[in-house]
Every structure is written in C-alpha cells, then in structure tokens.
Amino acid sequence: MKNRKINIFAALTLGLMIAFAGCKKDDGGVRSSVVIKDVPVVSTSIESTGSQAIDLLNLAGFSGKFKVELYFPGATPPDKVDIVVRKNGSNTNVKVVKKDVTTLPFSFTVTSADIAAIFGVAVALGDTYDFAPDLYVGVNKYEAFPATGLGNGPGIIAFPLYSDYARFAAICAYDPAIYEGDFVVVSDAFGDFSPGEIVKFTKISNSSFSFINPYVTSPLPIIVSINTLNNQATIAKQKIGNQFVWASYTNPNVAVAASSTSVVAPCSKTITLAIAYTVDQGSFGTYNLVLKKKP
C-alpha cells in the first residue's frame, strides 16, 4: 500500500496523437470514402412507476416497466422496431418479446412469469435481463445485441440521460438487519484492509450504514447508501480523515458511483464497493473492496 502511486495526469498527449494519426491535410471534414447511414438514436429506460429489479423473495410482485423512445425529439423514427431481451449479458441468448412496433414512444410491462415463458426456465438469483429494440430502417436492420460487433446503442452511451437498454436483475431484497455488525474483508484491491480483517458496519437508516477506515488519521465514518430497488451501493464523495497513516497524502476522500459493480448481495451477505480514492495531491483511481458478513 505504501507504494501506491497517484495518477495525477491523464494521457492527454497520447490521446491527441491517436486522434490525429492517419489524418491528411486534404481529408476535409469527412473522407469521400466514408459512407454515412442515418440510423435513428433510440433510448430504452426503466420507468420509475414499475419494479426496478426482480426480487427472488417476491417473484409474483415483479412488474417491470420500460419505455422505448427517440433520444432526439422530432427526429425521423425507424420504420419499426422489434423489442428483444438478452439474458445474462449473452448476445447468443436473445429472444424477441414484441414484433413490429411502429409508434414511438412505446411503453412495455413485463412480469417474472413472462420472462420465464420467454426463456423456458424460471428466473434465478443473479440473472440479468436486458430489454432493447432492434431497429428497421428501409431494408436495413440494426440489432440491439448482434452476435458479433457492437449493437445499435453503445456508440452514444456517454450522452446525458441516454440508456441503450433496460436491465432488470434478479436479486434478494435488501435487508438492513444483515448490513450491520461485523464484516470480514474478502479482498481489498487498494491494499488498506487485509483479507480476514474485521470491519464493523453501523446502521444509520433502513437504506444506509457506515464504517471506518482506520488507516487514516482522525477517521470519519464512511456512509454507504443503498438503492433498495436494485441493491446498488453508493458513497457520495466524502472526506474519510486528515491523512493516510502510510504516506503524507492529505485529506483523503472516497466515492462510489451508482453502477452494477457496486452492490449488496443479501442472499450471500456480501457487499462489493468500487471505491474511487482521491487526496489533495491527486487521484489513486478506483479499487474494489469486497466484504462478507461474519458468521
């Protein structure tokens, strides 16, 4: 841990070199050899009025709602779309849910019974189901989850409020009684905690708890918030102490962004946190901390 380096500068120079590599003075805005096809940008997102995840402890209660709509209002829509679903991130396991949708926006509701019927097997813990549209424009079809190459959505995933698919994960519902007391460190890629070390979780509310990193001076509680709808764990950027005890880096902060990487798993009584570490002197990067409830 004492040799952990800080990543202060991005590889800006390398990025510029790559960006300009292969360009010629007479290329113009777009090379004449490039053929541009007008593919509509369609976003697929989960609606807040429905279930955000599939609770294995209440399968019958799952009612997932999502909306398929043009990302740019007023843009020319595709001729039609087929709604498809991918299981467990595999582009070789994709099923058609609804064919020939010609009007956008389009809202759809799916139940756990629907999903079981589509794939011919009951929903199981850890399953993920991604819903998205295949687009038809003239004689061309643009698949959401092609067997090879990128689908019709990932090219603009950085656009604000854009979502290329709606994912429903099969989880065990969050239980705040599990996430308090002693937890055992399974692994810490950052290297502060050692495997087998005990970390105490303190309940704050039915959707949050805190713990201490003892490897800083004047340690402050690290507050973890849980989205009980999908079990994602987040940490708003916060100071955890005055200085790391193993180096003179000052005002250490941690943060965990909302993602499918940082989650609690109540069935196995574990938690994984992809923690971004920063100090006054710069950024260390992001490292996974994994803990499990002590038996």
Side-chain angles (χ1 to χ4, degrees):
M1 183 65 247
K2 293 181 180 179
N3 293 324
R4 179 72 63 196
K5 295 181 179 179
I6 299 178
N7 303 317
I8 300 178
F9 300 107
L12 177 60
T13 303
L14 177 61
L16 291 173
M17 291 171 63
I18 294 173
F20 287 105
C23 292
K24 298 179 181 179
K25 183 178 180 181
D26 59 352
D27 278 345
V30 180
R31 292 185 182 185
S32 59
S33 60
V34 175
V35 177
I36 299 176
K37 293 183 178 179
D38 187 9
V39 181
V41 179
V42 178
S43 179
T44 306
S45 56
I46 296 175
E47 297 195 72
S48 61
T49 54
S51 304
Q52 306 296 291
I54 307 169
D55 181 6
L56 267 293
L57 304 179
N58 184 22
L59 280 175
F62 172 71
S63 179
K65 300 179 181 180
F66 61 90
K67 179 182 288 187
V68 180
E69 59 187 336
L70 289 170
Y71 180 76
F72 297 106
T76 301
D79 296 325
K80 66 175 184 176
V81 306
D82 291 342
I83 307 300
V84 299
V85 57
R86 172 180 66 178
K87 182 177 180 179
N88 294 338
S90 173
N91 284 19
T92 61
N93 194 6
V94 179
K95 306 291 186 182
V96 177
V97 178
K98 186 172 180 60
K99 292 180 66 66
D100 300 332
V101 175
T102 57
T103 302
L104 298 180
F106 177 77
S107 293
F108 194 82
T109 300
V110 63
T111 68
S112 58
D114 294 331
I115 293 174
I118 291 169
F119 289 98
V121 62
V123 175
L125 180 64
D127 282 349
T128 58
Y129 299 94
D130 302 330
F131 292 82
D134 286 346
L135 311 181
Y136 294 82
V137 181
V139 297
N140 297 310
K141 177 182 179 180
Y142 303 95
E143 295 182 328
F145 309 118
T148 59
L150 294 175
N152 59 45
I156 62 166
I157 56 175
F159 283 30
L161 303 180
Y162 173 80
S163 176
D164 55 336
Y165 56 78
R167 167 169 288 188
F168 296 104
I171 65 174
C172 288
Y174 180 72
D175 182 355
I178 293 175
Y179 290 89
E180 60 179 334
D182 291 344
F183 274 69
V184 180
V185 175
V186 177
S187 62
D188 180 14
F190 188 61
D192 263 359
F193 296 99
S194 301
E197 188 173 350
I198 301 299
V199 177
K200 184 175 291 294
F201 285 7
T202 301
K203 178 181 175 181
I204 297 175
S205 71
N206 284 336
S207 60
S208 63
F209 58 86
S210 67
F211 68 95
I212 292 287
N213 181 332
Y215 302 103
V216 296
T217 61
S218 303
L220 299 170
I222 301 171
I223 300 172
V224 181
S225 297
I226 306 300
N227 182 338
T228 57
L229 297 175
N230 59 18
N231 281 359
Q232 289 184 0
T234 58
I235 298 176
K237 185 176 181 180
Q238 57 193 267
K239 179 179 175 178
I240 64 172
N242 291 335
Q243 181 178 308
F244 282 113
V245 299
W246 41 264
S248 57
Y249 299 129
T250 53
N251 290 321
N253 280 256
V254 297
V256 172
S259 72
S260 57
T261 303
S262 298
V263 294
V264 293
C267 286
S268 60
K269 299 182 180 180
T270 60
I271 180 171
T272 299
L273 296 170
I275 304 177
Y277 295 85
T278 57
V279 288
D280 286 341
Q281 292 76 18
S283 169
F284 289 104
T286 301
Y287 300 86
N288 281 1
L289 172 64
V290 182
L291 305 104
K292 182 178 178 65
K293 184 73 176 281
K294 182 179 180 181

